[in-house]
Amino acid sequence: MVKFNWDFKLTSGVYHLEEQDLTKNQSTVVPGEYATHGSYRRPEPDKMAVLSGTYGASIFFRRWAAWIIDFILIVFGYEGLVFFVVKKVADAETPNMGMVLGIFLIGSFCYYLLLEGLTGYTLGKFVLRIQVVNGEGRSPGLVKSLIRTLIQLVDTNPLFFLGLPAGVCVLATPKKQRLGDMAANTYVVKVQDLRAVNRQKTGIFTGAIILMTIISVIYAAFFISSLITQIVKPEVFVSKDNQFAVTAPLSWSRDDTINEDADISIKNEFSERYLIVLSEPKDDFDSSMTLQEYKQIIQDHIESELTNPESGRASDIVVNGYPAIEFTLKGEVEDTPIMYNVTTIETPSHYHQVLAWTYASRYGRAQQELRKIRDSFREMNMM
């Protein structure tokens, strides 16, 4: 009677089953892909180790390219999203960077932990058609993914030679594993080499991955544009009569509906900050008018428009070589607390008032930007 065992050979990434007579050199029998129990086939836990051992350097390049894609997605897309959310919550021009960093690190950790643990994929791996699997060729699960992700903080950390330790390990080990793979007993294999039964789950998560990618790309664009705004030349806003101007960041725009009488009206709609410049010829006043008297006229007028006005201490300053007086006013407009930064400026031919404001709760974070715009005030004939 002839006895049979199941052996397999790997040809072009596809498994073939062969019959072997156990009476012939049983020591050469290799653990098979499947152990048969009647009509049921149970996957052996070592088949991915055998498969990984057949790969050459190409798996390294796929893994490295996938890592680059994930790195770009996380740094520009996800970090841009975190920056936007924290900025919006804090109502700040520059959000708490400690909070941004903390949320960014936690989210980045969960990106690998959850996606690889539940699907075997990250966006980069999905694009490069490779997948993290356990010994049976299935998604590794959260425990193994946790081990991989913790060790990933060391062997693929971009601060450590751009993940060079992981790359060297993948190239040098027989099963093409990095340290995290060896600790978790996981493998990274080509999707084309997996049985269809192992690929049924991928479609479930494809939509989620695509949606996440679209959102990340949007916020990547936002984050990059924010960086560009800090670098490129700010915009110059010139008065209606072309006699004077102020300079503001690109996040500011002109809006003549703020005050129809203003010579310059600009706003930062995102952070809800506003600034107007009104100029009056000295010929409209008595020749004995002083800057201090003009300041008092402006202060009295603004206070008359506010509910429960509170004025701050006035300070003599210089704006672009011109004498000026700065003071603050806090009051309510339609039951909303508003904080004003008011500066009256005297030039040879005009008195000017630069009036900037925002919500009272946000003024502490806004005053530096508002003063910087105010300090850029200049007459055009002096440029």
Side-chain angles (χ1 to χ4, degrees), residues 76-237:
F76 292 102
Y78 175 64
E79 186 178 5
L81 173 61
V82 173
F83 187 88
F84 173 83
V85 172
V86 175
K87 181 176 181 178
K88 200 63 177 171
V89 170
D91 294 323
E93 182 67 20
T94 303
N96 186 313
M97 295 311 295
M99 183 182 298
V100 171
L101 180 60
I103 297 176
F104 172 71
L105 292 177
I106 293 172
S108 301
F109 187 86
C110 291
Y111 171 80
Y112 288 99
L113 172 65
L114 298 178
L115 282 182
E116 290 187 341
L118 298 176
T119 73
Y121 289 106
T122 60
L123 174 66
K125 289 182 175 65
F126 185 80
V127 171
L128 272 296
R129 309 309 296 148
I130 55 178
Q131 185 178 4
V132 181
V133 296
N134 59 16
E136 296 181 350
R138 300 184 183 279
S139 301
L142 293 180
V143 175
K144 289 182 180 292
S145 182
L146 176 61
I147 297 172
R148 293 185 84 255
T149 306
L150 286 173
I151 298 179
Q152 182 169 300
L153 297 176
V154 178
D155 66 355
T156 61
N157 192 318
L159 300 179
F160 297 163
F161 308 103
L162 292 177
L164 183 61
V168 172
C169 197
V170 170
L171 288 173
T173 55
K175 301 174 186 177
K176 303 301 182 286
Q177 296 172 296
R178 64 174 179 82
L179 295 177
D181 290 317
M182 289 186 284
N185 194 28
T186 56
Y187 310 89
V188 176
V189 299
K190 300 175 184 177
V191 173
Q192 67 187 29
D193 294 338
L194 293 174
R195 285 285 191 180
V197 67
N198 295 327
R199 287 183 287 178
Q200 290 175 352
K201 292 183 178 180
T202 63
I204 300 175
F205 298 98
T206 300
I209 291 176
I210 292 175
L211 178 60
M212 180 185 66
T213 303
I214 293 174
I215 294 174
S216 297
V217 167
I218 291 173
Y219 283 102
F222 166 79
F223 185 68
I224 293 173
S225 66
S226 297
L227 294 178
I228 293 175
T229 300
Q230 306 300 319
I231 299 174
V232 298
K233 184 178 180 180
E235 185 173 354
V236 176
F237 296 94

